[in-house]
């Protein structure tokens, strides 16, 4: 049984992770960290890392990206593996994450869904085949409360495509105006926000007289929580380093 510290425990995703951990046989939630104090939790919730006294085996961070540097500093100081599931990370935070991974195991993915990461592996296979003859568009849909656009997953999908192309494409964020060329050298990325959509991502390959669509739909946020727990258990067997869903999916 691994003891988990959950950063952002009282946020939307934090509450989902709480529920997922409560039913998992291999992990238990022993402490949380959140900017808001509360008495509703069945575990202590802190606003200061220095006050945490529980024995921690692994940290899961689903908080706001403004907390990520503090989380990394705490984990490096305590030599704790950490799963970073926060999106909207700046280049500076990514650099800090890489530096931390030289001292502790760090797992990062812009999307913790196993299905999305299986989709990425499929894109790696088909994108080079279609590169010269198909235009590529990515459409992502999320709930009305999501702050960042495009989503981290949309960018992850676009980056995954560009990784395997002979000629990487330029990202165009939305299209407007009357003189769009829609060049083959572009990937269009489009964001939709509304209602309570947990997450939907479609990669559209449009050729002459034929269309291929690869689509992933999240029916609940539980898939992201379960992925983060799998990542946390994966880290217990790892030395210092930076890991992603690619390593987890190819573990066996």
């Amino acid at each position: 049984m691994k003891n988990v510290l959950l950063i952002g425990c009282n946020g939307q995703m934090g509450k989902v992770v709480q529920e997922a951990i409560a039913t998992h046989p291999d992990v238990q939630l022993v402490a949380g960290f959140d900017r808001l104090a509360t008495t509703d939790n069945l575990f202590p919730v802190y606003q200061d890392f220095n006050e945490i006294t529980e024995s921690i085996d692994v940290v899961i961070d689903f908080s706001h990206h403004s907390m990520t540097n503090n989380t990394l500093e705490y984990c490096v100081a305590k030599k704790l593996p950490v799963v970073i599931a926060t999106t909207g990370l700046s280049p500076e935070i990514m650099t800090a994450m890489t530096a931390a991974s030289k001292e502790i195991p760090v797992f990062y993915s812009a999307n913790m869904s196993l299905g999305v990461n299986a989709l990425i592996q499929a894109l790696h296979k088909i994108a080079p085949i279609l590169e010269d003859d198909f235009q590529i568009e990515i459409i992502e849909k999320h709930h009305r409360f999501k702050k960042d656009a495009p989503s981290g997953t949309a960018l992850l999908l676009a980056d995954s495509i560009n990784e395997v192309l002979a000629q990487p494409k330029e990202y165009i964020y939305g299209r407007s105006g009357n003189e769009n060329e829609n060049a083959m050298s572009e990937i269009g990325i489009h964001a939709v926000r509304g209602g309570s959509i947990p997450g939907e991502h479609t990669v559209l390959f449009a050729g002459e007289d034929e269309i291929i669509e690869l689509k992933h739909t999240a029916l609940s946020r539980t898939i992201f929580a379960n992925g983060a727990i799998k990542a946390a258990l994966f880290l217990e067997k790892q030395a210092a380093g930076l890991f992603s869903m690619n390593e987890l999916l190819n573990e066996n």
Side-chain angles (χ1 to χ4, degrees):
M1 183 74 75
K2 296 298 177 183
N3 292 344
V4 176
L5 167 64
L6 177 59
I7 313 296
C9 60
N10 291 329
Q12 282 189 322
M13 268 309 306
K15 292 176 181 177
V16 177
V17 176
Q18 286 187 44
E19 294 174 359
I21 290 177
T23 62
H24 200 286
D26 298 322
V27 291
Q28 60 181 350
L29 185 53
V30 298
F33 191 102
D34 200 277
R35 62 187 178 86
L36 298 176
T38 177
T39 58
D40 296 335
N41 301 98
L42 299 177
F43 50 86
V45 177
Y46 297 95
Q47 287 78 50
D48 185 340
F49 282 112
N50 294 321
E51 296 179 357
I52 298 173
T53 58
E54 284 73 19
S55 175
I56 308 296
D57 295 312
V58 63
V59 176
I60 297 177
D61 185 355
F62 264 105
S63 66
H64 190 265
H65 57 78
S66 60
M67 273 299 303
T68 307
N69 271 332
N70 293 334
T71 298
L72 290 169
E73 289 174 2
Y74 169 78
C75 292
V76 168
K78 298 295 184 180
K79 300 301 179 187
L80 293 173
V82 58
V83 177
I84 302 293
T86 301
T87 60
L89 302 186
S90 67
E92 291 76 18
I93 295 176
M94 297 299 294
T95 298
M97 190 186 309
T98 301
S101 71
K102 299 183 185 304
E103 301 185 52
I104 59 172
V106 178
F107 190 106
Y108 170 71
S109 177
N111 190 300
M112 286 290 166
S113 158
L114 297 181
V116 163
N117 287 277
L119 169 59
I120 288 170
Q121 293 194 354
L123 290 172
H124 281 170
K125 292 183 180 296
I126 71 170
I129 299 171
L130 305 177
E131 176 176 0
D132 294 335
D133 301 303
F134 286 71
Q135 291 170 304
I136 305 171
E137 300 282 307
I138 297 173
I139 305 99
E140 56 99 343
K141 303 175 184 178
H142 283 88
H143 54 88
R144 63 190 179 94
F145 296 109
K146 185 170 179 60
K147 301 295 185 183
D148 55 316
S151 69
T153 300
L155 294 173
L156 176 64
L157 295 173
D159 289 345
S160 299
I161 292 169
N162 259 348
E163 285 173 4
V164 295
L165 297 183
Q167 295 293 328
K169 298 180 184 291
E170 177 188 2
Y171 300 162
I172 303 298
Y173 300 106
R175 296 189 188 277
S176 62
N178 300 317
E179 300 295 334
N180 290 295
E181 295 184 5
N182 302 326
M184 294 291 290
S185 60
E186 300 172 353
I187 296 178
I189 304 176
H190 312 278
V192 176
R193 297 289 176 268
S196 58
I197 306 169
E200 179 182 296
H201 294 83
T202 301
V203 182
L204 174 70
F205 292 88
E208 291 297 324
D209 300 320
E210 56 182 335
I211 297 170
I212 299 171
E213 287 189 15
L214 283 78
K215 177 179 173 181
H216 178 273
T217 302
L219 300 179
S220 81
R221 295 184 177 89
T222 303
I223 62 172
F224 309 122
N226 290 337
I229 293 171
K230 285 181 181 292
L233 294 172
F234 168 83
L235 282 188
E236 71 174 305
K237 298 170 282 187
Q238 310 304 324
L242 184 58
F243 302 94
S244 70
M245 276 291 178
N246 188 56
E247 286 82 17
L248 191 156
L249 290 175
N250 295 317
E251 182 181 15
N252 297 319

